[in-house]
Structures are given as structure tokens and as C-alpha cells.
Amino acid sequence: MGDPKGFMKIGIKPAGNRPVHERTGDYSEVEQVLNSEDRMLQASRCMDCGIPFCHWGCPVDNLIPEWNDLLYHGDWKGASERLHSTNNFPEFTGRICPAPCEHSCVLNIEKKPVTIRENEVAIVERAFAEGYIKPAPPKERTGKRVAVIGSGPAGMAAADQLNKAGHTVTLFEKDEKIGGLLRYGIPDFKLNKITIDRRLDIMKTEGLEVRTGIHVGKDITGKEIVDSYDAVCMALGAMQPRDLPIEGREMDGIHFAMDFLTQQNRVNAGMYVAYDNRITAEGRRVLVIGGGDTGSDCVGTAIRQGAKSVTQIEIMPKPPKDRASENPWPYYARTLKTSTSHEEGCERMWSLGTLRFIGMQRRVSHAEVEEVKWINDNGRFTMESIPGTSRQLEADLILLAMGFVHPVHEGLLEELEIDLDQKKNVKVDQEMATSCDKVFAAGDAMSGASLVVNAIASGRRAARRIDSFLQKTPSVKI
Ligand SMILES: Cc1cc2nc3c(=O)[nH]c(=O)nc-3n(C[C@H](O)[C@H](O)[C@H](O)COP(=O)(O)OP(=O)(O)OC[C@H]3O[C@@H](n4cnc5c(N)ncnc54)[C@H](O)[C@@H]3O)c2cc1C
Ligand code: SF4
């Protein structure tokens, strides 16, 4: 522990965000960077707790007190090495993780946690700038071949770990670039895509083979892949969006959030988007249905596109400002979150159900909503509508951001007849193995829609299981 009294002497100092008027004019990252001296002082606030609850809260088991201490002492290289020992991509989590570690930090009892996430991104960015992060190909190859299907954070982490273990790994991706939701879902103002390309370059130099634009189950059969590799890891994501099949759903101007977000990321990257299919919020009254992260990303994107107004509605009640008694520290706080996008100008409403969409000449103009209440029946919540509360909200662009139900079943999963669990995600056993011989699964495809940090943790876990499996099996003859 660097400074035993650091947490008493130094106050919490987050880096802060670019001013709203400046950042809404572009798609560059919103969050600023603290100078190195202040960052090291922030690290000195870590108390190196006997029981580091931050570590308990972190899905990738980051060694938080250890790298905070190294950071405080100015050992950026050591801090980066310690960080990378548990997390392949701290540059992603350091930018966009909701930081369950900070929720669990002992200093969060006083609502002034160590700035763990910001410290993390500062360490990895300094390490890249100083050239500490270099390609480190494995010294020997095992002769075993692994196919990883899907290149989101789960697939990237699994591929990276397996390649480092000496296996020959091919990463298949149906889109033209790797990254999954990191590239095509999460807006550039939260995560710039240079970070993905920079990491990919290192992974390729280390020997990873990347094959983009190949939809497995369509361009090449799943069976061909299974027959030609010693093991397969499916990291397909959970891309089936939840729909709202109510009256008027078929009208123009109603889109899934992902279609809207993907287009903007593609435009920013100079990729092709058909003019006729372009979804734009410019000059429109935008209604986002769904109060989660995806909805918030739609808000920020719509504002940057020049929306006339942006409203976000949520069917669940407004969360409390402070932790409720049944949600104590060190658990993740289920409190009201105001994202940087919300700060940029958006009206938010809760406990609203959507009854129907209304419009003229096939184009939507309004959504009819009504207030609902939630009844707690011994921990089981049921929803009731409140009679006489229906009203119409003006909206000529409606974005459905109500989450994802499960992975897409058509294609690969159906072809290989992979067993699904009760929620229709890919069913895996304790070894992360699916019902298909030598096929494993990781990430949202098996857990349901989750977080980047969980996807990385899951990809690493699957890689460990695949590595043990490969040590016990003979190679395929090709
Ligand atoms: C808009 C949005 C914002 C989000 N913001 C955050 C955030 O701020 N912080 C956070 O922690 N999490 C966030 N998430 C969640 C996070 O992005 C996901 O949990 C995470 O990306 C899941 O990783 P994954 O690797 O399992 O799947 P994905 O990232 O979904 O990647 C799956 C990949 O598999 C490919 N694929 C699928 N089928 C095939 C096939 N048959 N052949 C070849 N390739 C295939 C897909 O094209 C895709 O590239 C957000 C999600 C969304 C939608
Ligand atoms: S809980 Fe907070 S103060 Fe304690 S070791 Fe973790 S980061 Fe440091």
C-alpha cells in the first residue's frame, strides 16, 4: 500500500467529460483524461483492504489493489502487466464498463470510491504510448487448431488466450470488421474504434488468423468447421432484439435500436450504408422505448444527428436515488443512472407502457402510452395498467431499445442442432461445452445479453476449458 493515509488526504477527482455544447457536435469520446500526477494521487486513495471487495465485484478478477499500488509508485509498466494478467482488453473495460468494482469498493460506503475504471484506462493507454504492450507470440505451437466463431469481446478474449497457449486459432466473423457490439453497437463517443484495430494488429502479429465477412452456417457450414478443427468456440452474441408487436408496428419510422446505432458507427468509419435505408434523427421528434444502456446510446446518437427532441420511456418504475435497504453495499447499486447522453438533453419518463403506434400514410406520428404500476407480491412483480391514464406522445422516429431475447437460432445453431436452455440461449455444461461434440460457447450467446467485462471473463473461461480438452484429444487430420 503506497500511502496509508491517501484516502484521508486526497479527495475523489474524476477526469470529467467534455462540455455538452462541444461534444454533441462530434462523435469523439466524451470522457476526458486526467494528468498523470493526479492519476497517481487517485491511485493512492486505494486502502489495499484486507478483504478487497472491489476484487469480489470484478468479473475478470482484476488485481485492483496491486495495480493501484504500482500506479501510485509510478510503475506504469508493472501496473500494465498486472492488469493484463487478468484482462485481455483493459482499454475496452476501462472506457465502458459500468465498474461493478467501484460499486463494491469499501470507499463507496461513503460514495467516494477509488476511480478504478479511470485508473485502468489510464494505465493501459500509457502502456500503449510508452510501447510496453508489444506482440508476444507463443514460443511453441501445439499443432492443435481452434475455430472461434464471432469476434465480439468474448470471441476476441477466447481467441487471444488460445493463441497465447500455442494453439493455431482462426477467428471467424460475419461482418467486415471484428469487434461485435464493440464496433457496431457501442457508439464512438463511448469507445473509439481505433482501440479495437490497435489490439487486433497485435493479435494478428502474434499469429491469430482473422477471417471476416464469413457467416458460418451460411457461407460455410458449421459441420465443415467442426470437421476441420480440433475444437470450436461459439461466441455469437445475443443479437435477437425484443420486438413490440402492437398495432401500427409495421409503419415507417419505427426501427430497432441496433439498426440505428450500427448505421451511425458505419458512417463514422466511412463504411457503406445504402442511402434508401438510412435512418436519421435529423429534425425528428425521437421516442426511444427502453430505459437501458442501448436506449441511452440512441439518445446520444439522435442528439448528435440533430434531433428536434428526444424522449426516452421505460416500463419499469423510476429507480431510487439512493440504495434501497434490500440492495446494500457491496452489491451493484440499482439506483437511478444518468448517462452522459441523458445530460445532453433528453426527457425521461418511467412506468409507461406502449399501447399502439399511430400515424398517417404509413408514417408514424405518435405513440399511445399509459401509466402502469408494479405490484410486489412476495418478491414477484406484476404489472397493472392504470385506467384513464393513456395519452399520445408525438414521435416521428421511434427506436425500440428493449433489449435482446437470445442468440439468433436460424443458421448455425439450428444446423448443428445445439441444445438451448430455458431462456433459449446456448446451453453449456460446467466445462462450457455445448451439446455438440468439441463445440464450446462463450459470451452473450450462452449467458444472454450482458456486459463487455462478463463477455471477456466468459471468453477466458471457455479458453481454459478448451485448452484442457485439447490436451486430452488427438488432432484432426485435414
Ligand atoms: C448498444 C449497446 C451498448 C452497449 N453498451 C455497453 C457498455 O457501455 N458497457 C458494457 O459493458 N456493455 C455494453 N453493451 C453490452 C456488450 O456490448 C455485450 O454484452 C458484449 O459485446 C457481448 O459480447 P459477445 O462477444 O458475447 O457478443 P457480440 O459483441 O454480440 O459479438 C458477437 C459476434 O458474433 C458474430 N457472429 C454471430 N453469428 C455469427 C456467425 N454465424 N458467423 C460468424 N460470425 C457471427 C457477430 O457478427 C458479432 O460480431 C452494450 C450493448 C449494446 C447493444
Ligand atoms: S475496495 Fe477500494 S479501497 Fe479497498 S482495495 Fe479495493 S479499490 Fe482499494
Side-chain angles (χ1 to χ4, degrees):
M1 180 183 185
D3 183 352
K5 292 191 177 163
F7 70 99
M8 292 162 77
K9 292 189 299 201
I10 311 288
I12 180 171
K13 184 174 179 184
N17 302 317
R18 293 162 61 213
V20 170
H21 71 271
E22 179 195 304
R23 71 194 195 217
T24 50
D26 61 48
Y27 288 87
S28 299
E29 285 182 357
V30 163
E31 195 166 80
Q32 302 187 124
V33 179
L34 212 57
N35 65 64
S36 297
E37 197 183 325
D38 274 336
R39 182 55 63 206
M40 285 154 66
L41 286 175
Q42 287 300 299
S44 80
R45 295 184 65 241
C46 175
M47 303 186 289
D48 192 9
C49 301
I51 298 175
F53 282 91
C54 55
H55 179 82
W56 171 83
C58 175
V60 283
D61 299 329
N62 272 343
L63 304 166
I64 295 162
E66 294 185 24
W67 48 253
N68 268 326
D69 184 47
L70 291 161
L71 173 58
Y72 170 61
H73 285 102
D75 183 357
W76 295 81
K77 185 165 185 280
S80 166
E81 283 165 5
R82 205 60 57 94
L83 189 50
H84 280 89
S85 69
T86 55
N87 184 354
N88 304 62
F89 313 119
E91 65 273 33
F92 304 154
T93 45
R95 283 178 164 82
I96 54 166
C97 191
C101 53
E102 291 184 17
H103 288 242
S104 305
C105 173
V106 175
L107 290 179
N108 202 19
I109 298 173
E110 293 289 316
K111 296 191 185 161
K112 289 172 187 157
V114 174
T115 51
I116 302 172
R117 180 185 59 75
E118 290 189 14
N119 293 1
E120 177 181 13
V121 76
I123 292 168
V124 64
E125 285 307 320
R126 174 76 174 258
F128 270 114
E130 299 286 345
Y132 300 147
I133 301 174
K134 294 195 186 85
K139 295 205 169 52
E140 286 176 13
R141 290 284 169 189
T142 62
K144 298 281 169 72
R145 302 172 73 247
V146 186
V148 177
I149 308 172
S151 71
M156 284 180 75
D160 194 33
Q161 290 295 96
L162 288 161
N163 184 46
K164 286 194 161 96
H167 306 301
T168 302
V169 183
T170 308
L171 181 59
F172 289 91
E173 171 54 55
K174 67 177 169 51
D175 291 327
E176 63 268 62
K177 289 195 173 196
I178 76 141
L181 288 174
L182 295 171
R183 187 176 300 272
Y184 293 104
I186 297 173
D188 293 4
F189 56 80
K190 276 167 62 180
L191 177 78
N192 79 71
K193 308 311 177 224
I194 296 164
T195 56
I196 309 174
D197 297 330
R198 179 178 63 182
R199 184 60 76 169
L200 179 63
D201 284 347
I202 292 180
M203 289 164 69
K204 280 185 179 163
T205 313
E206 289 172 338
L208 175 72
E209 188 195 0
V210 175
R211 295 185 65 189
T212 50
I214 298 187
H215 196 156
V216 182
K218 199 168 162 197
D219 302 323
I220 178 170
T221 63
K223 185 172 181 315
E224 275 176 81
I225 298 276
V226 174
D227 287 347
S228 343
Y229 288 85
D230 296 298
V232 177
C233 179
M234 292 200 302
L236 313 175
M239 298 283 202
Q240 190 73 48
R242 182 170 282 114
D243 206 347
L244 191 55
I246 54 175
E247 185 185 327
R249 169 67 182 88
E250 72 294 343
M251 277 188 283
D252 289 343
I254 305 171
H255 304 273
F256 285 120
M258 266 302 285
D259 295 338
F260 173 69
L261 294 171
T262 300
Q263 278 197 4
Q264 187 56 54
N265 283 7
R266 291 181 67 90
V267 169
N268 293 349
M271 294 182 199
Y272 174 73
V273 176
Y275 181 77
D276 291 348
N277 295 336
R278 183 85 167 95
I279 308 165
T280 172
E282 190 178 350
R284 299 220 181 269
R285 297 158 304 173
V286 179
L287 177 67
V288 179
I289 302 182
D293 277 350
T294 305
S296 155
D297 290 346
C298 289
V299 169
T301 304
I303 288 169
R304 280 162 182 72
Q305 289 183 354
K308 199 167 164 187
S309 65
V310 185
T311 306
Q312 185 180 21
I313 63 172
E314 165 60 48
I315 199 164
M316 298 303 289
K318 186 175 181 177
K321 209 165 122 293
D322 293 310
R323 285 177 184 272
S325 55
E326 70 275 12
N327 175 223
W329 174 89
Y331 293 101
Y332 189 84
R334 294 193 302 274
T335 50
L336 180 66
K337 310 274 181 324
T338 298
S339 71
T340 55
S341 295
H342 294 136
E343 288 167 0
E344 291 163 4
C346 148
E347 187 176 2
R348 298 159 83 188
M349 301 177 202
W350 287 267
S351 299
L352 277 188
T354 310
L355 299 175
R356 63 183 176 126
F357 300 120
I358 305 161
M360 275 175 66
Q361 294 173 335
R362 287 193 48 80
R363 173 103 211 162
V364 73
S365 63
H366 292 79
E368 187 171 308
V369 296
E370 77 171 348
E371 289 172 27
V372 298
K373 62 180 172 198
W374 289 88
I375 317 287
N376 184 350
D377 181 13
N378 279 331
R380 272 180 58 110
F381 283 85
T382 48
M383 191 188 82
E384 275 179 18
S385 44
I386 305 177
T389 59
S390 74
R391 63 183 193 271
Q392 293 183 1
L393 300 178
E394 282 186 328
D396 42 18
L397 175 64
I398 295 183
L399 300 170
L400 305 178
M402 299 167 302
F404 299 84
V405 282
H406 48 64
V408 173
H409 298 151
E410 295 76 34
L412 183 60
L413 294 180
E414 285 184 353
E415 185 216 312
L416 293 178
E417 298 180 353
I418 300 282
D419 284 355
L420 305 173
D421 65 15
Q422 279 186 337
K423 292 185 172 167
K424 302 201 169 141
N425 298 315
V426 173
K427 189 174 173 184
V428 292
D429 63 17
Q430 284 192 333
E431 298 304 308
M432 312 279 284
T434 69
S435 56
C436 182
D437 190 31
K438 68 179 179 177
V439 178
F440 297 74
D444 282 7
M446 44 129 309
S447 65
S450 184
L451 294 174
V452 169
V453 69
N454 287 327
I456 295 173
S458 164
R460 291 172 66 90
R461 210 162 45 243
R464 267 198 302 280
R465 304 292 193 269
I466 293 169
D467 186 45
S468 318
F469 167 80
L470 290 173
Q471 289 178 24
K472 290 182 232 143
T473 51
S475 307
V476 291
K477 300 255 183 306
I478 48 165

